[in-house]
Amino acid sequence: VVGEGRGVRGKAELGQARFVSNCDIVGNPGRIWLGINGHDTARLAAFFESLAAARVHDLHITGNNVIVPYSDHFSFYAHGVPALMMANGEPKFPHAGPHTWGDTLDKVDARGLRNSTAFAARAVLHLAHDPAPLPARQPRPAEVRKSLTDAGYKPLLQAQGRWPF
């Protein structure tokens, strides 16, 4: 298990992981946003786009290999596991951001939560039956290090004690 603030446990199993999906900041009204972190993820992005093509889900993919270092999936990505961060809608509290003491059940948009859950379940079910869209390999540590450095995250992650290299 790899997790934010928990360090690395089960590191030997990381080499067997093909993909991690993180549903974060769901339950808002609006479209589903996907950020794909990893290498060799073009097939995966095309797969998600094909799910949205039927107009069942309003989906926005921010691009291939978008690095989002502020969520639970990041520690997997930093150790070479391709990862997806899924969110939906706009922040509930534009001035305070998500995940505040004000995030209470009465602010959950049931339709947004159903839509996000249905999309995630549909995607996982398809990938379980046909894993061909998944990345063929995990990136080497040097590739991950270069991606994080090129994206400008090295100083921040070092300052936070989260630089894995």
Side-chain angles (χ1 to χ4, degrees), residues 102-156:
D103 283 346
T104 55
L105 188 57
D106 61 303
K107 295 178 186 78
V108 173
D109 181 74
R111 184 174 182 217
L113 184 59
R114 278 192 309 268
N115 191 33
S116 299
T117 303
F119 178 80
R122 186 174 177 214
V124 169
L125 182 64
H126 279 278
L127 289 170
H129 287 285
D130 180 10
L134 293 174
R137 68 168 181 88
Q138 289 186 356
R140 291 178 285 284
E143 292 172 298
V144 176
R145 184 176 54 246
K146 182 177 180 344
S147 293
L148 293 172
T149 301
D150 290 351
Y153 287 118
K154 181 178 179 179
L156 172 70

Side-chain angles (χ1 to χ4, degrees), residues 64-79:
N64 203 9
N65 199 26
V66 173
I67 300 171
V68 181
Y70 307 110
S71 193
D72 295 323
H73 69 283
F74 180 73
S75 56
F76 288 91
Y77 170 74
H79 287 88

Side-chain angles (χ1 to χ4, degrees), residues 10-58:
K11 193 170 183 177
E13 288 84 4
L14 286 176
Q16 299 170 11
R18 301 262 321 263
F19 178 67
V20 167
S21 179
N22 175 32
C23 299
D24 194 1
I25 312 175
V26 296
N28 293 312
R31 71 186 339 185
I32 296 171
W33 174 87
L34 301 178
I36 301 172
N37 295 237
H39 298 264
D40 187 31
T41 57
R43 288 183 314 280
L44 192 57
F47 163 75
F48 288 125
E49 288 169 358
S50 74
L51 289 182
R55 300 276 181 211
V56 174
H57 302 284
D58 184 11

